[in-house]
Amino acid sequence: MEPLKLFWPHPVIQFNGRGISEYWAEAMEKLGFAITQDYDAADMVFFISDSQLDRRYIGEKPTVAYFWGWLPERCLLPDFFDFAKPKLDMLAACTRVLVPGPITQYQLAAFGIQSEVCLPGVDSVTLDRFQGNAQPQQRVVFVSRLAVHKQLELLLYAMSSLEPKVPLLVLGSGEAYYLEGYRDFARRNGVPVTFLAPTDAEKVRLIQDSMVLVMPSRYEGFSLPPVEALYLGTPVVVSDIPQHRWLLQEDVDYFSSVDGLAGTLIDVLNNQAKARQ
């Protein structure tokens, strides 16, 4: 019996890593599916992101779409329905829609679209290669593309009040406009910061060799870096938002203000330093 063939449009990868699309495709192949870029030869269609939705490939064959969610404030913009309606129509026409958590599920339910929660998981193969090899350094790590809702500025503000200063490692890429603004603020406030766009393996090593990972986002569809850090045994501090509470529960420290973040960082860094003695 021939394997079921999945038409799998790959998104553009913004980093040096492989991206979740490649990992999912590999996992599906291990389960016995055949991944193809030939729509005519496919039995089913799988869109890894709503950015991949294409009306040409919806309706003729069973179609699954993964919806990561929209920033809540996006729904308040004047052009929201011009932007969203075509995508909502395509999602509604799919055979099945998957989402990373209940917050995103509620977003779709508000538009009458039913979905199922399907956790994206982590790349445990790469993570397992680094288990037991931690060499923690006195630094904080931030892992994300540099987008406004990731709120890197909150972390920079918090770290500018720490004495003595602690190095910050930023793993991710973004627009030059934001990057230069962050560099300038860090320079003026004495925060030693390094920006890198590492490979997947390098990212894992740098997370494991840091004292704490901080995720200050005001919105997350899933929030993968904190899960990776916990898997590696690196302490995590995150913003107090519904997705983080649902996903990470009591395994991390939460903050809701810059002062609160600064105080938590001091506690975590001190505790980590004592544990190394």
Side-chain angles (χ1 to χ4, degrees):
M1 182 176 178
E2 290 190 3
L4 196 68
K5 298 183 180 65
L6 297 182
F7 177 64
W8 193 284
H10 288 289
V12 176
I13 303 303
Q14 301 179 21
F15 311 105
N16 292 326
R18 297 174 60 213
I20 198 167
S21 175
E22 281 76 11
Y23 287 109
W24 273 29
E26 266 187 14
M28 296 301 285
E29 287 177 324
K30 289 178 181 178
L31 290 172
F33 293 89
I35 304 299
T36 179
Q37 302 298 302
D38 182 355
Y39 173 76
D40 292 330
D43 302 302
M44 291 182 62
V45 176
F46 188 92
F47 295 111
I48 189 68
S49 166
D50 62 278
S51 64
Q52 299 303 109
L53 289 169
D54 190 323
R55 198 177 301 275
R56 294 174 299 171
Y57 305 127
I58 300 175
E60 180 183 345
K61 300 178 181 183
T63 303
V64 177
Y66 200 87
F67 178 69
W68 293 89
W70 289 318
L71 285 167
E73 58 263 36
R74 183 70 194 253
C75 303
L76 302 177
L77 296 177
D79 68 344
F80 173 72
F81 280 102
D82 293 335
F83 156 80
K85 190 174 188 312
K87 292 194 175 188
L88 290 168
D89 288 343
M90 285 188 283
L91 286 170
C94 289
T95 311
R96 183 163 293 179
V97 179
L98 308 177
V99 293
I103 311 303
T104 311
Q105 191 174 42
Y106 297 153
Q107 284 187 342
L108 287 184
F111 295 100
I113 298 175
Q114 299 300 308
S115 61
E116 299 175 52
V117 173
C118 175
L119 304 186
V122 298
D123 170 26
S124 60
V125 174
T126 299
L127 294 171
D128 286 341
R129 286 164 46 195
F130 292 86
Q131 288 289 352
N133 297 322
Q135 298 178 343
Q137 301 180 32
Q138 184 77 358
R139 70 181 177 208
V140 176
V141 65
F142 168 96
V143 183
S144 175
R145 58 192 174 92
L146 302 181
V148 173
H149 68 282
K150 300 296 185 177
Q151 299 193 134
L152 174 58
E153 67 276 7
L154 293 189
L155 178 55
L156 288 170
Y157 273 112
M159 294 188 65
S160 70
S161 67
L162 301 185
E163 292 295 345
K165 299 301 183 188
V166 177
L168 170 62
L169 187 58
V170 176
L171 307 182
S173 59
E175 295 182 17
Y177 172 80
Y178 296 116
L179 182 59
E180 288 310 309
Y182 294 139
R183 285 187 193 276
D184 182 61
F185 178 89
R187 185 167 49 249
R188 287 186 287 107
N189 289 274
V191 179
V193 60
T194 302
F195 292 86
L196 297 174
T199 64
D200 291 328
E202 290 168 342
K203 179 193 73 173
V204 170
R205 178 180 58 80
L206 292 168
I207 291 174
Q208 191 180 44
D209 289 348
S210 298
M211 288 289 199
V212 57
L213 179 140
V214 180
M215 197 74 172
S217 310
R218 68 172 182 264
Y219 174 78
E220 283 293 331
F222 183 67
S223 202
L224 187 59
V227 178
E228 294 175 322
L230 290 175
Y231 192 99
L232 292 165
T234 301
V236 174
V237 179
V238 300
S239 51
D240 195 351
I241 59 174
Q243 175 63 17
H244 284 158
R245 284 285 181 182
W246 173 78
L247 177 66
L248 305 169
Q249 300 183 39
E250 301 306 316
D251 293 325
V252 302
D253 287 303
Y254 296 92
F255 75 91
S256 55
S257 69
V258 173
D259 288 343
L261 174 55
T264 300
L265 282 177
I266 291 171
D267 290 341
V268 173
L269 290 169
N270 286 341
N271 289 337
Q272 286 290 87
K274 290 177 182 177
R276 294 173 61 189
Q277 294 175 355

